[in-house]
Amino acid sequence: MALIVQKYGGTSVANVDRIKNVAERIIREYDKGNRMVVVVSAMGDSTDKLIELMNQISSNPDPREVDMLLTTGEQVSIALLSMAIQEKGYKAISLTGSQVKIQTNNKHSQAEIMNIDNTRILKELDEGKIVVIAGFQGIDSNDDFTTLGRGGSDTTAVALAVSLEADRCEIYSDVDGIYTTDPRMIPEASKLDFISYDEMLELASLGAKVLHPRSVELAKANGIKLYIASSFNYKPGTLVGGIEHNMEKRRNVTGVTVNKDEVKITVEQVPDKPGVAGNLFTELAEIGVNVDMIIQNLQRNQKNDITFTIDKESLKKYRKQIEEIAYSIGAESIYIDEEVAKVSIVGAGMITTPGIAGKMFRILGENNINIEMITTADIKISSLIHEKDAEKAVKVIHDGFELDKI
Ligand code: ADP
Ligand code: ASP
Ligand code: MG
């Protein structure tokens, strides 16, 4: 008898028919003699709707109340799914993050799971029940509700799989696997049978919202393979952390992503002397701003321009402090460009194949797409471009590396 953790995302439980469909899929596995623990997200776009309501009341809401509000979305879907299972004559119970004691730290809206108490889950499983658990939520040491960050139900599922030593961890959404790029944007994208943890982690972190990056990190750290598939059909999905049968088959580039969540900030004419960049980025880190890409241009008059990117949310939250920091290190002006997009390619095979970066830049150049910034690492290369070119860039890179033929 296997213990299976399944996770169904918002689209999979967006309406009553879909909830009934999910109930049937769970029962199908239960009937094979498996113990079923199921994590669900809030229905459809209900989390977005809650955020809209909140924004109409406050532009700076109390983080505790934000999480109090957002955790309600999942409470609706777990109860309805549990009822749908019961309606088919099976035993089921829904549990919130606090009932399961998914213990997190107290970083509201970005909380990290510290511990899960299996006692209640195992008790319910032993009684033959299908256990339906609210994704994305936990409780902190004050018993206050916390949330794990948008898309965090994936992380709840993997954390439960780790804690329960599950035999399988399956993540179901509205796509039947991981593709070479978002198949909604590029219909020619190819489905991957397998992908390494590192490649998946990069794709997820660089904008492929199909998996919460922390879920991949957690799976990697604990050697848990993730099976990603659709809740709308039974087509074979993608194994994250799986290995290709043909061991020598290597892909130079595995996927392309685009991220429109970043903004480019140029701190202009800062004095060219030791310690300036150190001060700037240390102070940004201290207020909680995460910097991604960085370039520095030396000017002739002993002054530099330092350009970096951060996420749009951080700009919204910390704009004033960022400006203060820039002027405190001697900047003459600050320029913010919100119309940028970061297009990235990811592939483990890059390490041993020269010329991949050149090819990416050439493809962009040949298509008249100007590159504003570049960063590279072992298995990824990112170029910052104008936002208007984002879709075109993904398309021409996908074509150029022949990812439709993988
Ligand atoms: P869920 O609500 O089930 O958590 P998400 O919306 O978070 O699902 O993730 C699924 C979506 O991820 C798909 O609808 C697809 O548009 C998008 N996506 C982005 N990049 C990729 C990719 N490389 N492969 C598959 N899906 C992708
Ligand atoms: N409902 C949450 C969100 O929309 C969590 C999730 O879907 O994973 O971000
Ligand atoms: Mg998701």
Side-chain angles (χ1 to χ4, degrees):
M1 198 186 344
L3 196 158
I4 304 177
V5 173
Q6 292 191 331
K7 178 255 167 176
Y8 292 91
T11 351
S12 303
V13 292
N15 57 43
V16 166
D17 284 341
R18 290 189 184 173
I19 291 177
K20 289 181 181 170
N21 164 58
V22 165
E24 267 164 31
R25 295 180 67 102
I26 298 164
I27 288 169
R28 196 174 135 132
E29 288 302 320
Y30 180 88
D31 278 344
K32 292 180 193 163
N34 298 310
R35 283 148 76 85
M36 302 299 295
V37 173
V38 182
V39 174
V40 270
S41 299
M43 291 172 70
D45 58 359
S46 59
T47 307
D48 292 332
K49 293 259 162 59
L50 292 171
I51 294 173
E52 274 169 33
L53 283 177
M54 169 180 105
N55 288 341
Q56 287 174 41
I57 291 187
S58 170
S59 59
N60 186 24
D62 177 353
R64 181 190 180 278
E65 303 309 327
V66 175
D67 282 351
M68 180 63 93
L69 177 71
L70 296 192
T71 50
T72 61
E74 272 70 14
Q75 199 166 332
V76 173
S77 53
I78 53 169
L80 292 175
L81 179 58
S82 189
M83 289 173 202
I85 298 169
Q86 290 168 354
E87 202 56 30
K88 292 182 192 294
Y90 289 77
K91 289 197 274 184
I93 184 165
S94 62
L95 297 171
T96 63
S98 67
Q99 286 174 310
V100 176
K101 301 196 181 69
I102 299 181
Q103 200 70 49
T104 72
N105 58 17
N106 60 4
K107 283 193 231 162
H108 283 291
S109 297
Q110 274 306 325
E112 288 150 20
I113 299 176
M114 331 247 291
N115 186 48
I116 296 179
D117 184 346
N118 295 333
T119 321
R120 178 77 189 267
I121 303 173
L122 293 175
K123 177 182 158 281
E124 304 296 352
L125 288 173
D126 286 345
E127 290 175 15
K129 289 180 199 157
I130 293 167
V131 182
V132 182
I133 298 177
F136 172 61
Q137 56 178 260
I139 40 162
D140 67 12
S141 52
N142 296 322
D143 281 352
D144 281 331
F145 294 152
T146 52
T147 60
L148 311 181
R150 297 303 307 270
S153 299
D154 299 330
T155 299
T156 307
V158 178
L160 281 162
V162 172
S163 178
L164 294 162
E165 297 181 22
D167 300 285
R168 273 151 56 190
C169 183
E170 305 171 345
I171 313 263
Y172 292 99
S173 75
D174 56 357
V175 270
D176 51 12
I178 307 296
Y179 279 71
T180 46
T181 194
D182 188 341
R184 278 176 218 295
M185 193 193 293
I186 309 287
E188 303 81 43
S190 318
K191 184 161 67 181
L192 303 166
D193 299 334
F194 79 99
I195 183 167
S196 68
Y197 291 119
D198 290 334
E199 288 171 315
M200 189 64 240
L201 190 53
E202 294 293 1
L203 286 181
S205 311
L206 292 167
K209 296 214 163 94
V210 59
L211 280 178
H212 196 228
R214 279 162 46 199
S215 69
V216 185
E217 237 173 348
L218 197 56
K220 182 186 176 191
N222 293 280
I224 295 218
K225 292 190 178 63
L226 305 179
Y227 180 68
I228 316 301
S230 168
S231 67
F232 301 138
N233 58 48
Y234 285 96
K235 289 186 191 160
T238 303
L239 201 58
V240 177
I243 42 164
E244 170 67 83
H245 297 302
N246 176 358
M247 289 175 75
E248 280 286 333
K249 184 180 166 199
R250 245 179 342 133
R251 301 180 291 236
N252 297 335
V253 176
T254 297
V256 190
T257 61
V258 64
N259 180 359
K260 293 184 186 169
D261 283 344
E262 292 193 17
V263 291
K264 186 176 81 171
I265 301 179
T266 306
V267 177
E268 294 168 320
Q269 301 286 295
V270 293
D272 178 33
K273 57 180 190 202
V276 169
N279 288 346
L280 172 64
F281 293 113
T282 306
E283 286 183 42
L284 288 172
E286 274 166 9
I287 58 168
V289 173
N290 211 353
V291 173
D292 182 22
M293 307 171 100
I294 302 176
I295 47 170
Q296 176 172 302
N297 296 330
L298 180 63
Q299 310 291 322
R300 285 209 192 87
N301 51 356
Q302 305 279 293
K303 302 257 180 172
N304 287 323
D305 282 353
I306 301 177
T307 304
F308 55 92
T309 64
I310 63 171
D311 61 279
K312 285 193 170 138
E313 192 57 33
S314 296
L315 179 69
K316 204 171 127 200
K317 258 192 187 156
Y318 302 112
R319 190 178 195 124
K320 206 163 150 266
Q321 290 102 308
I322 294 169
E323 287 174 349
E324 279 166 14
I325 292 171
Y327 292 119
S328 77
I329 60 158
E332 286 176 14
S333 52
I334 170 167
Y335 171 72
I336 298 175
D337 182 359
E338 298 197 41
E339 288 177 16
V340 293
K342 185 174 71 172
V343 55
S344 308
I345 55 176
V346 171
M350 271 180 207
I351 304 176
T352 47
T353 315
I356 302 288
K359 183 167 172 180
M360 178 189 187
F361 306 148
R362 203 180 60 240
I363 293 169
L364 291 173
E366 282 167 2
N367 286 281
N368 236 345
I369 299 172
N370 189 41
I371 302 174
E372 300 179 21
M373 293 174 89
I374 292 169
T375 51
T376 65
D378 274 0
I379 65 162
K380 65 170 177 189
I381 303 164
S382 300
S383 301
L384 197 76
I385 58 174
H386 195 284
E387 199 177 11
K388 71 171 173 26
D389 294 324
E391 279 78 17
K392 180 177 167 194
V394 174
K395 168 103 184 84
V396 294
I397 291 171
H398 197 271
D399 285 351
F401 283 99
E402 300 190 343
L403 298 185
D404 54 331
K405 301 199 178 75
I406 269 189

